[in-house]
Amino acid sequence: HTAGSVSAFVTMMNEKAAELGMSGTNFTNTHGLHDSNQYSTCRDLMTLLRYCLKNGHFRVLFTTGSFTTTKTEEHPNGITLRNNMTAALAQNPRAGVSVIGNKTGFTTPAGQCLASLAVVDGQEYILITVGAGKSGYNKQRYNMLDALELYGRMVP
C-alpha cells in the first residue's frame, strides 16, 4: 500500500538503507525469509535499529512485552499479544542487565539471530547477534543465551 507494490517498497527499503550508510545490505523481499541476494551485516542492522528507535511509536512497540488489543464481539477480552523472547529473558535474569526490547529472526543459513536493546549499568546498548544454533531451528534459544552472556560481560 505504501509504495504501490511490494517490489516498489523493496526499492524504498534499499534507498533508505543507502541513505543510512548501510553499504553491506541489499533487500530483495519484505518478509526476511532467505534469498541468496538478500543480505546485511551486523553493523548495518545496528544502524537500522538505532535509526528506528528514534521513532517513538517504533520504540514503544519494540520495548513492549505484551499488548492487549481492543475488545471485539469475537474477542470480548481482546487478544493479548506477547513477546515470548521478553518472557524468556525475564526467566533468565542477569544482575545489572535489563533487556528491554528484542526481535528474533531465523533462516537456515543465518541461524538464530537477535536484535536487542538492553540497559546495562544505566546505559542503553544495542546488540546484534547472528549464527546461533545453525544446526536447525529448535526450542533452545541460543540467540538469547548469547545476548545474555555478552551483556553480562559488560556489567562492572
Side-chain angles (χ1 to χ4, degrees):
H1 179 76
T2 299
S5 69
V6 172
S7 62
F9 191 78
V10 169
T11 297
M12 290 174 64
M13 291 168 61
N14 284 311
E15 289 170 352
K16 179 55 83 171
E19 177 186 319
L20 295 174
M22 297 168 55
S23 59
T25 295
N26 184 64
F27 295 112
T28 61
N29 62 57
T30 57
H31 48 68
L33 298 178
H34 179 69
D35 180 311
S36 59
N37 292 318
Q38 179 156 295
Y39 51 84
S40 193
T41 66
C42 289
R43 179 178 296 277
D44 283 359
L45 294 173
M46 182 269 313
T47 298
L48 180 60
L49 182 53
R50 181 184 293 147
Y51 171 79
C52 291
L53 287 167
K54 292 177 184 176
N55 178 297
H57 294 294
F58 177 87
R59 187 177 182 90
V60 167
L61 290 171
F62 191 74
T63 60
T64 297
S66 68
F67 175 80
T68 302
T69 64
T70 305
K71 299 172 184 180
T72 66
E73 192 171 306
E74 293 92 14
H75 301 282
N77 296 321
I79 299 172
T80 300
L81 308 169
R82 288 185 180 82
N83 182 324
N84 292 331
M85 185 62 77
T86 299
L89 289 166
Q91 293 174 2
N92 295 284
R94 294 286 195 274
V97 177
S98 178
V99 179
I100 60 173
N102 61 80
K103 171 63 179 97
T104 61
F106 174 83
T107 64
T108 300
Q112 295 177 21
C113 304
L114 179 67
S116 59
L117 176 66
V119 176
V120 179
D121 197 31
Q123 176 69 41
E124 284 189 352
Y125 293 93
I126 292 172
L127 176 65
I128 308 295
T129 58
V130 299
K134 289 187 82 161
S135 62
Y137 184 80
N138 60 53
K139 293 186 183 220
Q140 184 65 23
R141 294 183 167 137
Y142 296 111
N143 49 359
M144 175 193 72
L145 297 173
D146 288 347
L148 289 173
E149 174 67 21
L150 292 168
Y151 284 129
R153 290 182 183 193
M154 298 169 63
V155 176

